[in-house]
Amino acid sequence: MPIEESPKVTRRSTRSSSSVTVENPEPSESHLPTVDDLTFGKESITLDAVLSIFPGRRSQIFDLIRLMGPLNCPTLPIMIYGGASTGKTSVVLQVLRHLNRPFVYSSCRTCYTPRILFESILNQLLLHRKCSSNGYSSAKRCDKPSDFVNLLREALSNVIESLESGSRTSRPNKSDGKPMGKMVYLILDNVDLIRDWDKGSMILQFLFSLHTVLKMPQLGIILISGLPPDVYYSNMGYTDPLPLYFPEYSEEDLRQIFLRNQANRKLYSAFLDVVLKPFCRVTRSVEELCTTFSSLFRKYCEPLDDLGISPNEDMKRRLYSNLKPLIASCLNEIFRVSSHPHDGDTRGERRQKASCSSENREELEILDFHMSTSAKYLLIAAFLASRNPATLDASMFDSTGGMDNRKRKRKASEKSMEKKEIAEQEAVMKGPGSFPLERLLAIFQCIASVGDSSFGEEEEAEDEDPTGYEKENSNLMSDILLQVSSLCDANFLIKSGSCPLEGSIRYRSMVSEDLALKAARSLNFPLSKYLYRR
Amino acid sequence: MAPSGTVADPLPTSTNDSFNSGDTSENDIRPFFVLHKASSGSNLHGKLNGTVKSKRRIESPTPKIAKRSEVESVEEDGQFFSTLRLKVFETVWSKIEKTIADVLRNSNSKVFSGIYDWIRESFESIVSSGALRISEAVRSYPVLTQASSKQLLTAMVLTRNLEMVDDLLTFQELELQLKTQGCHVAKLSSMDFSAKTSVGGCLRGLLRQFVMPTIDVADVTILASWYRENKNHDNPVVIIVDDTERCCGSVLSDLILILSEWAVKVPIFLVMGVSTAHDAPRKILSVNALQRLCAIRFTLSSPAERMDAVLEAVFLRPCSGFTVSHKVAIFMRSYFLCQDGTLTSFVRTLKIACLQHFSSEPLSIMLEHFCQDGINQLSDKGTGLLTEATMKHAFHLPSVTRNKITRSTYEMLPQFLSDLQRMPNPWSIVILCIYEAGKYDKVRLLDIFCETLDPEARYLRYFSPSATANCQTHDSGRSCVIRRVLRKLRDLSPSQLSNMLKSWENLTADFSEINDKVMELHPFMRSVEAAGQRQGLPNSPKKHASRSISKHEKELKAMTDKVAVVIEFMLREYMKPVENVPFHEILCFKDVDKLQSALLGDPRGRIQSDLLESHNILHCVCCSKRGTNLLPSMHDTSILYTLAQEHADVINLHDWYQSFKTILVPRTSKAKPKSKSSSKSKKRKDICEEPEAPAEALIQARFCRAVMELQIAGLIRMPSKRRPDFVQRVAFGS
């Protein structure tokens, strides 16, 4: 999980304050970055302001400031950890803004290889900016950790030198955005992602021991991670970073967070009364809640003409009853696709039509994308092959075999029933079974020939025609391997196995029963007859 | 096995066989060098392929070929005509192709403009909420804003077809259109999202398209810096991923996460083509990535809808004059529905049909004049091209002899031809009218088209009163599309009816006979509408009508009866299927077998049947008289595969080898091979002497190679660990 900055600072508030500052005119294209750019860039804020932006983070903020120590005091590496969207990154950045100290920030999400990570850090320290005139190249090419140490040392000493000279000349005014002190902080975000990198453990060890290797007290290292420090420990003889935990927000904290910057706090508070509790049980990630709430709040306000009113009890109740049906559906989904206005109309209309003309035998509309008939049969065959045990194929596709099976089932004793239940649960845990291509094709052939008798009536108007239809049956088989590959492409089948020449490749159907039923219905194929139910 | 492969690419084959007049000379040498594989020198090799191919074609029993060869032999300037036909084919096909491209563009334009509007609107709202300064925008740390600003605006474009082929072009066009409207567009395909190159690969692809081709390290910060340069930030950045389902999910998730971190600094719009259900991304993307998508859905027209549009433009509107027969249309329809539901393959089928028509029909050059719009050019210029031989051919066409038109009516030919040219007009108008009527019932134009092409016009049966009862009993389930349309007419609401009448009026505007009939309906329509308004229920369908509005109902029924009468009139008077018209062979492609063999390769079945009957391809002397027994001179793989037929699905390797060996080493007598070798040439002798004493090692080696070849052809599977001395037959297809 990436570390999200907390949402408490709206862009509007920071922007309005920055537009007031006269000292900071809009930089032109040729603006050259200076050491000043290593700070947060806007005028610093007071501690109270920081505390007020982050409700429920008071102790963490004080801890962080304490760990970083007073001005020009060397610090040990700090590791900040906690779940997603708990304000780790934003707290660090805002605290540094408050302290007005220079820092360098790199996220391991954006810098997805060691080289990009190293070069990104060096670019910031060397005040280098990629642009078309330098061919978007980095200041220094740096692949290896050893090179990085040397280059970092060099760059760092330059920066500190200019910081020292700067601090000698500048006024001791805290709020002008000039960097304070001779310490540079290195913030590495999303450190947990490094574990998935190629040779990630090596890079992690290097970063953890960077402080001791570099031997420069002027560099303070702050690591931000979604995982607790335990996962990184490896007894490699470096000093462990000082941990700082950001716990999940409580419900009350979340209320505070969401109430900030609301135009009509009373209305929003009424809204939160309704939604916060159920949603908190699902997730406490501010980011997730924020997107859900913003759309829900829009729905909530829909019946209102004036958004400035403060709702009374009766109105609250009415608004709630309005919203109630939506909440349950929102709780379960993380991914919503809204439809475009033009688009939605036509689709809605089609839906209606489909339901209206229920006597219409053509139910193809239910499957809302096009598949050729043979692909549909193949899909069903794959579904059957994945769900049914291979040993039952013979009985399933034999007209008499199915009966035998049922008889045996009736005779089963209590104990064997129990066993069966366990086996059933196991099968559910295992998911769809895999099958070789030959089995798929055999089942396909069976059901395509069975289905054709009923299918001919539905799809083929001309099967009284002596020429067309006879050939078609055999042709259904001809391009079948092509269809297999296109089903694979659509993620309906997944392949596993090794050498294709060996023929040991196995497939697995990833289709939900729902979709398979839809496909079967469009072919008038009796799927449930062939499905083995334990 | 070369010939089995050629079925898949019929274009060169058919041109080869029809325009290659040197067949006969090559036929002589064929058995000679097929037998002696070693001597099939490089210079002859190309020719060999050619002959084998054309031979296969010739074997297919089509009477036309005999006719053609006769024509060619008679004519000295056959070459001239064949090149001319090829030229005409090119003009005709380019016209059809252009028509199709236009139709497809039109069908997409609405969705495209919808996407563009959405991008513009969202971009304006992003810009208006406050621009970033350059130092902010290229900084490595995030802009601290609301969490929702990390959302990546995404358009899900539903292509509604499992196959992706049709939509590659669609997305290319979308890219082009967005580019001309000023967006920065990059198009990524599933190739860029491979697990091997991970997220770096697709970022590199992006930067290559946006920034410059030579990027050392693919870093998002480059994108951010580039976006802030040279007014680039006046326009949105659009990334098109055309086949989302085929992408590696983890890589795509990574890209989405990275881009969403920069979403505030670089406003990125993602356009994802989804070919199945709209929740397909849920299956491939990680939860984190899904949360970052703020998705909106756009739906392209379905393949069937597009197909109808193409059909209308190519066959029913004046286009090229080229048309297909009933059987070909049925075949194309079932190929589309059952095999490969893509428009691309439909167009390819059409192209093959067109090419084969031109290659087999000498008179097809006349299509050039149909292609041009001039009506009367034909009479002078067209007949000028008609030489004596082609005239003779024309009067031997089945449709001409059937109608008893003889040479005596020579002067009538231009008349017939211009009739032919005029003929489709009322016909297509009627089809389109029926299509209009069936639209409310979602009747496909493709079905109507196929049905009306039927030369025996079986749909007309439904009108004769005697047949009506008959039909209802015997094929009530079978869908006769036109009958269905007629039946459903009664369910139409007045507003639907009046819409239908309006569109009929437009359709028939150029054809006064039908138009008059349609105009006659208008007063009735008006009275129906008036009655409906009086009841205050203008839109209610018949079903919900209560007793009180029975008058309205009666009017409506009278109206639909009138409409049905008009449809019947149109069908009876003007539905003259193209195949009943004399000289229609000039325009109409009929040979469904040829098309089928060109289109359905069936490579697996082909390999097996070719292996079993290799002598049909090799045409060696020895095998042609072998009957059913195997000869040592046969190809090893072929021998082995024939032997394998005797086994069940597992084959004991030892038994197999032994029987292989007995065939290579004939035990019976020495006289047989001797007599052979004496009768044949020296080169044959080498081969036939070989089986006399093939060493054990040689036989083993040949056995191994043959088994390997069978394995590579996918016919057998190698021994498993469980049963080391058995191979398994992968028996399927033959």
Side-chain angles (χ1 to χ4, degrees), chain B residues 7-34:
Chain B
V7 188
D9 53 348
L11 298 189
T13 318
S14 48
T15 46
N16 195 357
D17 102 74
S18 55
F19 300 119
N20 187 356
S21 53
D23 277 356
T24 42
S25 62
E26 282 173 357
N27 283 351
D28 297 338
I29 56 169
R30 188 189 300 122
F32 172 72
F33 65 76
V34 167

Side-chain angles (χ1 to χ4, degrees), chain A residues 1 4 26 40 105 112 115 130 132 136 287-288 291 338 343 370 373-374 438 472 475 483 491, chain B residues 140-141 150 160 162 216 218-219 229 245 284 288 291-292 295 297 299 334 337-339 596 717:
Chain A
M1 233 8 219
E4 319 302 346
E26 191 74 19
F40 193 80
Y105 173 95
Y112 54 93
R115 179 173 172 194
K130 292 177 179 178
S132 55
Y136 300 102
E287 192 192 3
E288 264 176 69
T291 46
S338 53
D343 201 46
H370 179 96
T373 311
S374 55
E438 286 84 49
E472 223 162 79
N475 288 343
Q483 304 282 357
N491 283 332
Chain B
S140 61
Y141 54 87
K150 270 184 163 186
R160 296 167 75 194
L162 184 70
D216 191 20
D219 184 358
E229 279 170 7
E245 272 100 338
I284 59 167
N288 303 343
Q291 280 168 3
R292 301 290 173 83
R297 177 174 52 206
T299 316
S334 72
L337 286 179
C338 296
Q339 297 279 318
Q596 189 165 6
R717 188 192 285 169

Side-chain angles (χ1 to χ4, degrees), chain B residues 674-713:
Chain B
K674 226 176 220 171
S675 67
K676 254 189 183 171
S677 63
S678 60
S679 67
K680 295 297 161 188
S681 68
K682 224 181 188 180
K683 274 183 181 173
R684 283 200 49 77
K685 210 166 140 193
D686 292 343
I687 282 180
C688 288
E689 271 168 6
E690 207 178 33
E692 279 189 30
E696 185 80 18
L698 183 68
I699 295 177
Q700 280 173 8
R702 283 169 66 179
F703 179 76
C704 284
R705 195 181 64 178
V707 170
M708 196 67 79
E709 274 179 18
L710 285 179
Q711 189 205 358
I712 287 168

Side-chain angles (χ1 to χ4, degrees), chain B residues 155-445:
Chain B
M156 300 273 170
V157 181
L158 303 185
T159 60
R160 296 167 75 194
N161 191 352
L162 184 70
E163 306 280 345
M164 196 55 214
V165 200
D166 286 348
D167 298 301
L168 295 177
L169 203 68
T170 310
F171 285 104
Q172 258 169 28
E173 249 161 41
L174 178 64
E175 182 190 9
L176 212 68
Q177 184 165 347
L178 290 179
K179 260 184 188 160
T180 54
Q181 282 162 324
C183 306
H184 306 288
V185 192
K187 191 158 152 292
L188 296 177
S189 72
S190 53
M191 308 293 262
D192 296 303
F193 293 96
S194 70
K196 209 161 57 181
T197 56
S198 81
V199 72
C202 48
L203 273 179
R204 190 178 298 275
L206 275 186
L207 294 175
R208 196 183 300 132
Q209 292 178 57
F210 282 131
V211 186
M212 55 194 231
T214 53
I215 292 286
D216 191 20
V217 192
D219 184 358
V220 203
T221 51
I222 296 178
L223 192 66
S225 329
W226 162 83
Y227 189 66
R228 290 293 148 184
E229 279 170 7
N230 306 328
K231 304 260 176 201
N232 280 339
H233 59 279
D234 292 343
N235 284 308
V237 174
V238 183
I239 298 173
I240 301 177
V241 182
D242 55 7
D243 43 356
T244 312
E245 272 100 338
R246 287 150 184 77
C247 297
C248 172
S250 64
V251 179
L252 185 57
S253 305
D254 276 349
L255 182 73
I256 287 173
L257 287 173
I258 291 182
L259 291 181
S260 74
E261 302 241 309
W262 290 80
V264 182
K265 298 168 189 171
V266 185
I268 289 173
F269 294 84
L270 208 59
V271 176
M272 305 209 317
V274 179
S275 58
T276 54
H278 62 84
D279 64 344
R282 200 174 297 172
K283 287 184 188 156
I284 59 167
L285 294 179
S286 67
V287 184
N288 303 343
L290 276 180
Q291 280 168 3
R292 301 290 173 83
L293 296 183
C294 173
I296 189 164
R297 177 174 52 206
F298 294 90
T299 316
L300 292 175
S301 52
S302 77
E305 285 161 18
R306 276 192 241 177
M307 174 71 112
D308 285 353
V310 167
L311 211 63
E312 184 179 334
V314 173
F315 289 122
L316 300 179
R317 303 279 180 193
C319 174
S320 64
F322 174 72
T323 185
V324 293
S325 76
H326 179 231
K327 279 176 191 164
V328 173
I330 294 273
F331 170 74
M332 283 163 82
R333 174 175 173 271
S334 72
Y335 186 70
F336 174 72
L337 286 179
C338 296
Q339 297 279 318
D340 182 8
T342 61
L343 207 57
T344 316
S345 74
F346 180 78
V347 173
R348 195 183 55 184
T349 317
L350 195 61
K351 185 170 184 180
I352 293 173
C354 193
L355 183 59
Q356 287 192 339
H357 178 63
F358 277 95
S359 64
S360 59
E361 181 52 58
L363 282 171
S364 55
I365 36 172
M366 299 225 181
L367 268 171
E368 190 177 15
H369 308 289
F370 287 86
C371 224
Q372 296 150 358
D373 314 304
I375 307 270
N376 290 324
Q377 284 179 352
L378 192 69
S379 46
D380 43 314
K381 201 187 163 196
T383 45
L385 279 170
L386 297 176
T387 59
E388 188 59 23
T390 47
M391 282 311 287
K392 196 174 149 199
H393 172 75
F395 282 96
H396 277 102
L397 288 173
S399 65
V400 180
T401 48
R402 206 190 309 133
N403 285 299
K404 305 201 171 56
I405 300 166
T406 52
R407 292 303 293 261
S408 59
T409 51
Y410 176 79
E411 296 75 26
M412 302 264 296
L413 181 59
Q415 177 60 37
F416 275 122
L417 290 178
S418 62
D419 266 359
L420 205 58
Q421 196 174 14
R422 205 189 73 102
M423 190 279 305
N425 283 332
W427 180 75
S428 54
I429 287 172
V430 174
I431 291 188
L432 289 175
C433 284
I434 295 174
Y435 179 46
E436 275 303 324
K439 250 181 189 168
Y440 301 101
D441 195 29
K442 282 175 288 175
V443 170
R444 289 272 157 247
L445 183 59

Side-chain angles (χ1 to χ4, degrees), chain A residues 98-139:
Chain A
H98 156 68
L99 295 173
N100 227 339
R101 297 188 190 168
F103 67 94
V104 168
Y105 173 95
S106 281
S107 162
C108 297
R109 165 79 62 200
T110 307
C111 308
Y112 54 93
T113 63
R115 179 173 172 194
I116 298 178
L117 179 65
F118 295 157
E119 287 181 1
S120 143
I121 295 168
L122 291 174
N123 284 341
Q124 293 177 59
L125 280 176
L126 293 168
L127 308 172
H128 172 89
R129 183 175 290 166
K130 292 177 179 178
C131 61
S132 55
S133 54
N134 57 30
Y136 300 102
S137 60
S138 300

